[in-house]
Amino acid sequence: MTSEPKAPSAPAAPRPPVGLLPKLIFGSRWLQLPLYVGLIVAQAVYVLLFLKELWHLVLHSFDASEQQIMLVVLGLIDVVMISNLLIMVIVGGYETFVSRLNLSGHPDEPEWLGHVNASVLKIKLAMAIIGISSISLLRTFIEAGNLGTTRSNFTETGVMWQVLIHMTFIISAIGIAWVDRLSESGHRKAAGHD
């Protein structure tokens, strides 16, 4: 038995040198880094706001009405949802548009991060905005019993505008998801998978 020598594997083709302009254009993505750091600072401000509102809730829990407590709790939920939105934008946006985070295998890696892209991020953001709008609208509806009195923070017109804006958010999210679905099915058909 003679062993035949293996043919040497072909060396990988050298990459053509990247020009200065493409390097500059590609490197410009790092200009977004201060924006994401700024959002981290905004996240810290929301943590302080949450702690302040929580402290007020605890201090006034015995002399506040159930409705007042409910409104403060809804405000806390609103802060948490906005904070979640910030995390999605910071982590997902950085991973999608700036650089990989290399969190694969990390025990705390968010489940959604593995399949995030610009399209998924848009839909997640739209859903988060609808959730935030829903909490604000719920707070308005709870206070709607005071409409027409001096205790009300809203007018009938203001409530109507909030409902219309909320419906606009919902219709926009449906539109974004629909366009994304059309685009995805178009890509599958072009690839011959359908």
Side-chain angles (χ1 to χ4, degrees):
M1 258 182 139
T2 62
S3 67
E4 294 181 27
K6 290 184 178 178
S9 60
R15 289 184 176 180
V18 178
L20 181 61
L21 184 60
K23 280 183 182 178
L24 178 67
I25 291 170
F26 186 64
S28 70
R29 72 192 190 283
W30 288 101
L31 290 173
Q32 290 189 3
L33 183 61
L35 305 177
Y36 291 113
V37 171
L39 288 178
I40 292 169
V41 172
Q43 178 89 347
V45 170
Y46 263 99
V47 169
L48 293 175
L49 175 67
F50 182 89
L51 293 174
K52 179 182 135 194
E53 290 298 317
L54 184 61
W55 179 250
H56 286 290
L57 177 65
V58 170
L59 283 181
H60 301 292
S61 61
F62 292 108
D63 57 334
S65 70
E66 181 183 356
Q67 184 177 356
Q68 290 170 327
I69 291 173
M70 190 183 323
L71 289 171
V72 172
V73 170
L74 286 173
L76 293 174
I77 292 169
D78 203 22
V79 169
V80 169
M81 292 183 79
I82 292 172
S83 183
N84 290 343
L85 176 63
L86 281 168
I87 288 295
M88 278 193 287
V89 171
I90 293 166
V91 175
Y94 184 88
E95 172 91 8
T96 302
F97 300 112
V98 179
S99 183
R100 297 275 177 227
L101 291 170
N102 295 324
L103 295 175
S104 185
H106 192 281
D108 293 331
E109 178 186 8
E111 177 270 322
W112 53 267
L113 190 59
H115 49 81
V116 72
N117 58 34
S119 182
V120 170
L121 197 56
K122 280 190 289 191
I123 292 171
K124 285 192 174 295
L125 292 176
M127 296 309 294
I129 290 169
I130 290 171
I132 292 165
S133 175
S134 297
I135 295 295
S136 295
L137 198 55
L138 181 58
R139 289 173 70 185
T140 300
F141 287 161
I142 289 171
E143 289 188 45
N146 296 327
L147 280 178
T149 68
T150 56
R151 294 181 359 194
S152 177
N153 294 326
F154 307 100
T155 63
E156 288 180 21
T157 306
V159 173
M160 180 195 67
W161 277 110
Q162 280 189 339
V163 170
L164 289 174
I165 291 168
H166 181 71
M167 293 304 296
T168 303
F169 287 151
I170 291 172
I171 291 167
S172 297
I174 291 170
I176 289 169
W178 184 64
V179 167
D180 183 56
R181 188 171 180 99
L182 287 177
S183 174
E184 188 178 297
S185 69
H187 288 304
R188 279 197 310 251
K189 284 181 183 177
H193 292 245
D194 223 14

